[in-house]
Amino acid sequence: MEVLKKWLGHPKELYNLAWFKMGGYTTVMPKMDEDPLSESLSLCYKYLHQTGRSFAPVIQILDKDVCHVVCIFYLVLRALDTVEDNMTISLETKIPILQKFHSYLYQPEWRFMGSNDKDKQVLEDFPTISLEFWKLKKVYQDVFADICSKVGFGLAEFLEKKVESVKEWDKYCYYGTGLAFVGFSQIFSGSKLEDPVIGQDMELVLSLGFFLQKTNIIRDYYEDQLVGREFWPREVWSKYAKKLSDLAKPENINKAVQCMNELIINALHHVPNILTFLSRVKNQSVFNFYAIAQVMAIATLAACCNNPQVFQGVVKIQKGL
């Protein structure tokens, strides 16, 4: 009954969701080609749906030529991120794994069994993912190895230091998601679905990753505090509190919201670059892949803006929205 009341309180979203479910989704999210998949590739798509619920639909709308490539690329980066995110793994164990992660793509038996993260399956069954990596063309393998190497060393660097300045915040976002979008653009260019120009202007392509990463960091304040992670830049939050955790105190909620809004404004500065980038994309499935993720991020920031709930729990956008 509570769920029904919730939906009835948003009639426009209820209508849109009904339209989407009754077939409207085929306009922007056509059904994936159902050619028989190998057992290992089927497992990869299973892991994709388990670990990337928001990314899985936009990956599966891609043209067949690159759909599988992007799926494997996402899982490789998800495995790498799962090592970084797990706070129960010691730095002595974690840092070498991150720095060597690109080499594990070429080690068919490598797996990691020491994670208790919710996405640990991508580490425990990494041989299935690396098997599919070996089936890809060399142009894609080279992209994977290059991006993984840069991301691994970059994330390892931030394990041993705090994000102090806004400049360092951008640097962390460069490693956290920015390079992933560089990889996506190189994959699409390598497939000939897009011209090389979409990946040649680094400022534009990095803006897509920066925007998603900053949105996630802003939204995830509460969850990160629970496990001892801090990614808000000290240069900003120190103007509003002595410790980042103090922003969650009831007496500081007004200052906390002001601090968050300042970070949201910072993130929104990437939007003009995103729009310029999207204007250069020619393939419809690639455009949808990029645009849907960015629109979801904008909706998330809109839900966070002026919202004290960010400091008390998880803020999510309505499915209908």
Side-chain angles (χ1 to χ4, degrees):
M1 183 59 71
E2 289 300 317
V3 174
L4 180 60
K5 289 180 180 179
K6 181 179 178 181
W7 280 114
L8 290 176
H10 302 273
K12 185 176 180 181
E13 294 174 22
L14 183 60
Y15 167 80
N16 288 333
L17 186 62
W19 171 83
F20 186 82
K21 291 292 186 182
M22 291 174 66
Y25 64 89
T26 58
T27 303
V28 290
M29 303 178 75
K31 195 171 184 180
M32 179 180 159
D33 194 317
E34 294 187 350
D35 285 350
L37 302 178
S38 66
E39 181 179 353
S40 55
L41 189 55
S42 294
L43 271 174
C44 286
Y45 276 101
K46 175 183 176 181
Y47 298 149
L48 174 65
H49 284 280
Q50 291 174 344
T51 63
R53 292 181 181 86
S54 60
F55 253 100
V58 295
I59 288 175
Q60 291 190 229
I61 65 176
L62 290 168
D63 289 355
K64 181 181 177 182
D65 291 342
V66 294
C67 181
H68 302 333
V69 181
V70 175
C71 172
I72 304 307
F73 185 55
Y74 176 87
L75 290 177
V76 169
L77 292 180
R78 171 55 59 196
L80 199 161
D81 286 343
T82 300
V83 175
E84 185 224 2
D85 288 343
N86 196 324
M87 303 299 289
T88 64
I89 304 175
S90 68
L91 292 184
E92 291 78 8
T93 300
K94 186 182 294 189
I95 290 176
I97 292 177
L98 292 175
Q99 293 175 337
K100 297 177 183 177
F101 201 88
H102 62 287
S103 69
Y104 300 145
L105 291 167
Y106 302 97
Q107 299 178 31
E109 301 303 318
W110 185 86
R111 67 179 76 227
F112 183 71
M113 305 299 293
S115 174
N116 63 359
D117 190 90
K118 60 182 176 60
D119 295 333
K120 64 182 181 178
Q121 63 268 42
V122 294
L123 290 170
E124 293 179 348
D125 194 18
F126 196 76
T128 293
I129 299 171
S130 61
L131 173 63
E132 288 301 320
F133 164 81
W134 273 103
K135 297 178 182 179
L136 302 177
K137 295 177 181 178
K138 188 177 186 300
V139 63
Y140 300 134
Q141 293 182 0
D142 290 345
V143 171
F144 281 39
D146 177 56
I147 297 298
C148 283
S149 177
K150 292 174 180 175
V151 171
F153 274 91
L155 293 181
E157 174 187 339
F158 277 91
L159 288 175
E160 299 185 291
K161 68 177 184 181
K162 299 282 188 179
V163 179
E164 297 289 339
S165 65
V166 172
K167 185 176 181 179
E168 284 188 336
W169 198 37
D170 281 350
K171 187 177 182 181
Y172 176 78
C173 292
Y174 170 78
Y175 294 122
T177 306
L179 281 169
F181 276 83
V182 173
F184 290 140
S185 69
Q186 292 173 348
I187 289 171
F188 296 137
S189 296
S191 71
K192 308 301 182 184
L193 284 179
E194 293 292 338
D195 294 332
V197 67
I198 72 160
Q200 289 174 348
D201 191 326
M202 283 295 103
E203 184 179 357
L204 295 187
V205 69
L206 286 171
S207 290
L208 281 82
F210 281 22
F211 188 62
L212 294 189
Q213 185 74 46
K214 288 180 178 181
T215 297
N216 290 340
I217 289 173
I218 293 167
R219 179 201 61 197
D220 292 343
Y221 170 90
Y222 179 78
E223 287 187 337
D224 285 340
Q225 284 292 305
L226 289 179
V227 296
R229 290 192 295 254
E230 293 188 354
F231 297 116
W232 286 27
R234 178 186 291 271
E235 180 182 340
V236 176
W237 64 255
S238 63
K239 293 187 290 185
Y240 302 92
K242 292 183 178 180
K243 296 186 298 182
L244 182 56
S245 58
D246 288 344
L247 293 177
K249 295 179 179 179
E251 63 268 25
N252 294 331
I253 198 62
N254 289 334
K255 290 183 177 180
V257 169
Q258 292 173 26
C259 177
M260 174 181 62
N261 287 346
E262 182 172 340
L263 293 179
I264 290 174
I265 290 171
N266 175 286
L268 289 173
H269 282 131
H270 296 293
V271 172
N273 280 345
I274 293 169
L275 295 176
T276 300
F277 177 91
L278 290 174
S279 72
R280 298 178 178 178
V281 177
K282 296 180 178 180
N283 180 277
Q284 186 64 52
S285 73
V286 174
F287 180 87
N288 293 346
F289 169 82
Y290 284 127
I292 290 172
Q294 301 301 318
V295 169
M296 289 175 67
I298 290 173
T300 299
L301 284 187
C304 291
C305 187
N306 289 322
N307 189 352
Q309 181 61 30
V310 172
F311 303 92
Q312 302 160 5
V314 180
V315 173
K316 293 184 178 181
I317 58 175
Q318 298 279 351
K319 287 184 178 181
L321 179 65

